[in-house]
Amino acid sequence: MGVDITRESDGIRLTNGTVELRVATGFGPRITWFSEPGGDNVLAELGDLGIDLPDGRTYLLRGGHRLWAAPEVPEVTYEPDNDPVLVTESPSQLKLQQSASETVGIEKMIGVSLQDDSAVLTHTLTNRAIHPLQVAPWAITQLGVGGTAIIPLRQDLADPHGYQPNVAIAIWPYSGVNDNPFLMHDRLLLVDGNRTTPTKIGTSLDRGWLAYSRNGLVFVKRSQHVDGGTYVDLDASAQCYAGADFVELETLGQFTSLEAGASVTHIESWELHRIDPTTPPQDIPSLLDLDGGTTP
């Protein structure tokens, strides 16, 4: 199946007849659109919503999908991405590159390719500073409110008898203050995408996927968790934020010490699935055989 690439006034559109994806060129690297061909965008569109920074600048959230550097340290993580990106096009991949700033020294790049029924995103952080940096690639997808996020928990045993705990759940300080941050059902954490107060939770991405169900369309992102690897945020390589304006599905690569000039890469794949809108969220993993899918 071929990929059609169209340059538009504000970015580039890619489609393979199964999914449609658009990237920005005037800022980023950012993915601004993901849908069925001709369908509605599943990614959030947030306009000028942003985070005010101590130095007077604003980090524009914009919506869509972005690449951050973890752990979340404002002076590093919230480096604005308002400048045009360098676009490199090859037969197999479109690359969007943000130059490193003098203050932070991290170059960011997202590579995009379309497979038969999915999109593959390759996230790369490169240390352009003159000293080592300790970072983890952090792939954040913002989705429209109104659905349900599905975060799977590890199912296999930690010991032969099943006596030892096998899952840790990270809870951020603002979560569970005024309401319950999630429901738990059949080894799944279900986060309501209709919220007036923010919440954030995380766990290890042992089962290799996260999902978001809204209006009969399920967005699935897959990535790998390395057993025994080093991860930030209490080893939460899978995270979900939900607030009044958007829901985020987030995956993180390993926490890495990068020497000057070195890079670290983190890969995701994205899918869309049509289902009966009345399907309970807890039934979706078995319905779509999400645990039988292949992580990139």
Side-chain angles (χ1 to χ4, degrees):
M1 183 178 295
V3 177
D4 179 58
I5 300 177
T6 305
R7 292 184 175 267
E8 301 175 336
S9 59
D10 57 350
I12 302 174
R13 172 183 171 273
L14 302 87
T15 185
N16 60 2
T18 303
V19 294
E20 179 178 320
L21 183 147
R22 299 177 194 173
V23 305
T25 54
F27 55 87
R30 296 288 189 112
I31 313 301
T32 59
W33 185 283
F34 191 60
S35 71
E36 299 171 309
D40 294 331
N41 190 11
V42 301
L43 305 183
E45 300 177 35
L46 302 177
D48 294 332
L49 185 66
I51 301 170
D52 292 330
L53 306 180
D55 61 6
R57 297 181 300 171
T58 298
Y59 183 89
L60 294 175
L61 289 169
R62 301 183 190 275
H65 176 84
R66 67 188 186 272
L67 170 60
W68 267 4
E72 192 165 359
V73 178
E75 56 267 27
V76 174
T77 308
Y78 302 163
E79 182 69 14
D81 57 357
N82 299 326
D83 296 328
V85 293
L86 174 64
V87 180
T88 305
E89 185 178 330
S90 71
S92 60
Q93 192 178 60
L94 189 72
K95 294 181 179 179
L96 312 167
Q97 179 180 313
Q98 176 199 39
S99 298
S101 69
E102 294 183 2
T103 54
V104 176
I106 299 175
E107 176 186 286
K108 299 176 182 177
M109 184 172 67
I110 299 179
V112 180
S113 63
L114 298 186
Q115 308 299 323
D116 288 344
D117 56 359
S118 64
V120 176
L121 277 61
T122 302
H123 308 82
T124 303
L125 300 178
T126 301
N127 180 7
R128 298 301 184 194
I130 60 174
H131 52 80
L133 296 173
Q134 290 189 307
V135 294
W138 187 3
I140 303 174
T141 307
Q142 294 189 301
L143 302 150
V145 297
T148 302
I150 306 169
I151 297 90
L153 299 177
R154 180 178 175 181
Q155 294 175 309
D156 55 318
L157 302 180
D159 68 288
H161 307 289
Y163 295 153
Q164 303 299 320
N166 64 344
V167 169
I169 300 173
I171 305 290
W172 270 251
Y174 50 84
S175 301
V177 174
N178 297 307
D179 60 3
N180 293 325
F182 59 83
L183 296 175
M184 188 170 177
H185 195 294
D186 194 22
R187 301 296 287 184
L188 303 169
L189 304 181
L190 305 178
V191 180
D192 184 12
N194 295 280
R195 306 187 67 85
T196 56
T197 58
T199 193
K200 188 172 184 181
I201 63 172
T203 189
S204 59
L205 193 69
D206 294 290
R207 288 163 67 178
W209 59 267
L210 298 171
Y212 187 65
S213 177
R214 180 171 177 256
N215 299 332
L217 189 63
V218 181
F219 170 79
V220 179
K221 60 188 292 181
R222 299 182 184 273
S223 192
Q224 291 187 349
H225 174 89
V226 177
D227 287 337
T230 302
Y231 293 91
V232 300
D233 299 337
L234 304 178
D235 289 333
S237 53
Q239 301 180 9
C240 176
Y241 171 91
D245 298 301
F246 55 86
V247 175
E248 289 181 340
L249 294 185
E250 312 169 6
T251 68
L252 293 93
Q254 292 193 71
F255 190 45
T256 304
S257 181
L258 293 180
E259 297 296 326
S263 300
V264 61
T265 296
H266 175 66
I267 301 174
E268 286 186 345
S269 65
W270 292 3
E271 310 159 13
L272 289 173
H273 300 271
R274 275 283 166 196
I275 63 169
D276 184 332
T278 64
T279 304
Q282 62 268 21
D283 292 347
I284 290 174
S286 59
L287 175 69
L288 300 179
D289 190 23
L290 295 184
D291 290 309
T294 302
T295 56

